[in-house]
Amino acid sequence: MRPILMKGHERPLTFLKYNREGDLLFSCAKDHNPTVWFADNGERLGTYKGHNGTVWCCDVSRDSTRLITGSADATVKLWNVKSDSALFTFKFDAPARSVDFSVGDKLAVITTDPFMELQSSIQVKRIARDSSEQTGESVLTIKGPEGRISRAVWGPLNKTIISAGEDAVIRIWDSETGKLLKESDKETGHQNPVTSLSKSADGSYFLTGSLDKSARLWDIRTLTLIKTYVTERPVNAGAISPLLDHVVIGGGQDALHVTMTGHRAGKFEAKFFHKILQEEIGGVKGHFGPINALAFNPDGRSFTSGGEDGYIRLHHFDSDYFNIKM
């Protein structure tokens, strides 16, 4: 597989997101400018200028007309995908870490980091169909978990919110009352901070990556641990194939230690595991630093990785990949 190298960011990548059809790819990085690309050939379509800090996360609406981005400048912006104009800016008292549209795009869940005296929070905002009617009020605010919440996503039918972060506990909240419904078990769960959380295509289970050098697959309703994938490095990102029984995991050691090791020793490759058998089936090398973001195209025929080196690598699978026998 010859990757397509996409160089549009000057700083490390933080997040990658495909739209529902899989023809557009949105990327976030520490250089303040979320970017949109053609997903088949890696051509850059444009950037969204307006943030003054690292952009940590983004999501795109089901009809690909709206983009939502969360940034360390303590704002979340709603954009018109086509015109790169900001439709609305939600202002917070702390950096915004994670954003996720609900099914139907009428709500968005946003998490903010602990900052000065403030605790981390999970907030739900109503997204108006007409941007002129948009307000900044929160429908629900959940305060609580210790440390940073690295990711929060909607559960089935928007009835729950799943969050995970620095305290290594995965939680399910009621999205109407904010009540805590379930917590992951300390014994079977992650032992170190959870860095990433991504749902399966059908939304029935999700994958978490952690600094404890493992990724875990969970049932989204019961929070039952289904599978565990063990690697020899901290996991920063993971994604579940919508087509085959595969998951891809990426990471590497902290940026602090990167300069001391060669790129071979640094283990900067995307590793593929068999989802059911939990066995490693292959790896894709290429990045010169830890992998911070991974995403599968919704058709399952290509995937992208974003690294600390500022590059996005777009890999179209060759036919051998679809015939891997276990």
Side-chain angles (χ1 to χ4, degrees):
M1 291 190 306
R2 286 191 69 108
I4 297 171
L5 270 184
M6 295 143 73
K7 183 77 175 122
H9 291 289
E10 286 150 23
R11 300 281 314 280
L13 269 286
T14 54
F15 198 77
L16 293 166
K17 177 79 184 182
Y18 282 95
N19 66 341
R20 190 170 61 106
E21 287 79 19
D23 58 341
L24 298 176
L25 175 71
F26 296 87
S27 60
C28 301
K30 293 187 176 177
D31 65 1
H32 311 180
N33 299 325
T35 301
V36 58
W37 314 76
F38 271 130
D40 61 341
N41 60 6
E43 183 188 334
R44 183 160 79 166
L45 283 168
T47 53
Y48 300 91
K49 290 190 163 58
H51 280 300
N52 297 317
T54 296
V55 181
W56 288 118
C57 194
C58 71
D59 196 10
V60 57
S61 63
R62 201 175 156 82
D63 60 4
S64 304
T65 59
R66 309 256 185 109
L67 178 72
I68 188 170
T69 55
S71 167
D73 64 8
T75 66
V76 166
K77 287 183 185 287
L78 204 55
W79 308 84
N80 178 337
V81 166
K82 286 183 190 156
S83 72
D84 83 356
S85 59
L87 301 171
F88 192 82
T89 302
F90 298 100
K91 293 185 172 66
F92 298 92
D93 300 328
R97 175 73 48 173
S98 159
V99 292
D100 192 45
F101 277 125
S102 64
V103 177
D105 302 324
K106 290 183 178 159
L107 298 166
V109 61
I110 296 164
T111 70
T112 59
D113 287 353
F115 187 67
M116 313 290 264
E117 311 284 297
L118 298 167
Q119 286 176 295
S120 57
S121 73
I122 301 171
Q123 303 192 30
V124 176
K125 304 280 187 189
R126 212 175 284 293
I127 304 295
R129 181 153 283 190
D130 181 349
S131 55
S132 63
E133 295 167 10
Q134 185 66 54
T135 64
E137 289 156 39
S138 293
V139 189
L140 173 72
T141 302
I142 303 168
K143 292 265 200 301
E146 289 298 307
R148 195 167 66 217
I149 303 166
S150 46
R151 192 93 172 91
V153 298
W154 292 94
L157 303 174
N158 303 338
K159 289 204 174 4
T160 52
I161 293 168
I162 295 104
S163 72
E166 261 182 346
D167 61 1
V169 181
I170 296 156
R171 295 181 174 84
I172 298 184
W173 310 84
D174 185 302
S175 63
E176 285 197 8
T177 62
K179 196 167 132 258
L180 181 61
L181 302 176
K182 283 191 181 69
E183 282 190 350
S184 61
D185 183 35
K186 281 270 193 282
E187 320 252 297
T188 59
H190 287 293
Q191 304 305 314
N192 286 352
V194 176
T195 51
S196 69
L197 190 163
S198 58
K199 290 193 290 192
S200 61
D202 66 355
S204 63
Y205 51 94
F206 62 94
L207 180 74
T208 53
S210 165
L211 299 182
D212 64 11
K213 303 183 181 173
S214 75
R216 290 166 201 248
L217 205 62
W218 307 81
D219 183 289
I220 205 160
R221 286 187 168 83
T222 62
L223 210 50
T224 312
L225 180 64
I226 309 171
K227 300 285 176 188
T228 303
Y229 313 97
V230 182
T231 69
E232 66 281 4
R233 78 203 64 139
V235 177
N236 298 341
I240 303 167
S241 169
L243 194 61
L244 302 179
D245 283 330
H246 294 170
V247 297
V248 61
I249 299 166
Q253 75 275 64
D254 289 340
L256 294 172
H257 307 118
V258 170
T259 50
M260 272 92 98
T261 51
H263 68 99
R264 284 188 187 286
K267 309 270 193 305
F268 308 133
E269 59 182 326
K271 283 192 174 283
F272 282 76
F273 282 79
H274 194 285
K275 187 167 73 187
I276 319 295
L277 305 176
Q278 308 176 67
E279 286 172 20
E280 193 181 322
I281 47 181
V284 178
K285 292 188 172 72
H287 283 287
F288 289 100
I291 292 175
N292 297 337
L294 286 165
F296 265 103
N297 191 303
D299 67 5
R301 299 193 166 274
S302 60
F303 86 103
T304 42
S305 55
E308 192 74 23
D309 54 11
Y311 283 96
I312 302 168
R313 298 175 75 90
L314 167 61
H315 300 267
H316 287 283
F317 294 119
D318 44 32
S319 54
D320 299 354
Y321 167 78
F322 300 100
N323 303 320
I324 295 175
K325 295 277 184 283
M326 282 303 280

